[in-house]
Amino acid sequence: MALVGGILAAFIGGGVISLGSLVGFFTVFGIAARNGILLINHAQHLEREEGETFGKDLVVRAARERLAPILMTSLATALALVPLVVFGERPGHEIEHPLAVVILGGLVTSTLLNLFVTPSLYLRFGKSRRAAAEAHQVSATEATPA
């Protein structure tokens, strides 16, 4: 998810793939993965600890509650990178400029995709933790001879 924005930003920014931009890809990939993991983990927490039933309401609640932390992380990182993108053509910024361009582009797409696509995928492919635990418990009791 994060790579799409990074590649587009690098292409728009002159198509430079350098060591700095490669580091940017790894950085934005890590940020995107962390945001997605925290979102899914929060949905599982709501189901396990707060008794929410698995479904659309659970996923929407988890996405709504994780919206502020995801946006704060992305915006803080983006604001720190704006000067490097704007003034990146100055001498001495040859490595930092492609890095900043890739991270900034990747943050835009990964944030949007984490807030909209990840919850949809979790709703489609995720399973209820309670149902899985009950199924495991039933199979364990059937496996034990009486």
Side-chain angles (χ1 to χ4, degrees):
M1 290 191 275
L3 298 178
V4 173
I7 291 170
L8 286 175
F11 180 73
I12 292 169
V16 176
I17 301 293
S18 64
L19 181 61
S21 61
L22 292 176
V23 171
F25 281 119
F26 284 114
T27 302
V28 78
F29 181 73
I31 292 170
R34 184 187 64 85
N35 285 341
I37 289 168
L38 289 175
L39 179 63
I40 299 301
N41 191 31
H42 187 62
Q44 292 173 347
H45 167 78
L46 291 174
E47 183 183 7
R48 188 177 52 247
E49 304 296 328
E50 297 190 19
E52 276 286 329
T53 57
F54 184 81
K56 183 180 176 186
D57 293 335
L58 169 79
V59 173
V60 169
R61 180 179 171 196
R64 191 175 348 107
E65 289 178 3
R66 293 299 307 162
L67 175 67
I70 288 173
L71 286 179
M72 286 182 353
T73 301
S74 297
L75 287 175
T77 305
L79 287 174
L81 293 171
V82 166
L84 291 173
V85 172
V86 173
F87 302 116
E89 297 299 324
R90 291 186 174 175
H93 295 280
E94 293 85 9
I95 294 177
E96 296 164 344
H97 179 68
L99 175 127
V101 168
V102 166
I103 293 175
L104 198 58
L107 278 176
V108 171
T109 58
S110 70
T111 300
L112 292 174
L113 291 173
N114 263 324
L115 292 175
F116 296 109
V117 175
T118 302
S120 301
L121 291 174
Y122 181 64
L123 185 61
R124 170 67 178 94
F125 297 108
K127 294 183 177 135
S128 172
R129 296 292 163 210
R130 258 185 265 149
E134 289 171 5
H136 179 68
Q137 193 175 35
V138 167
S139 66
T141 56
E142 289 175 356
T144 14

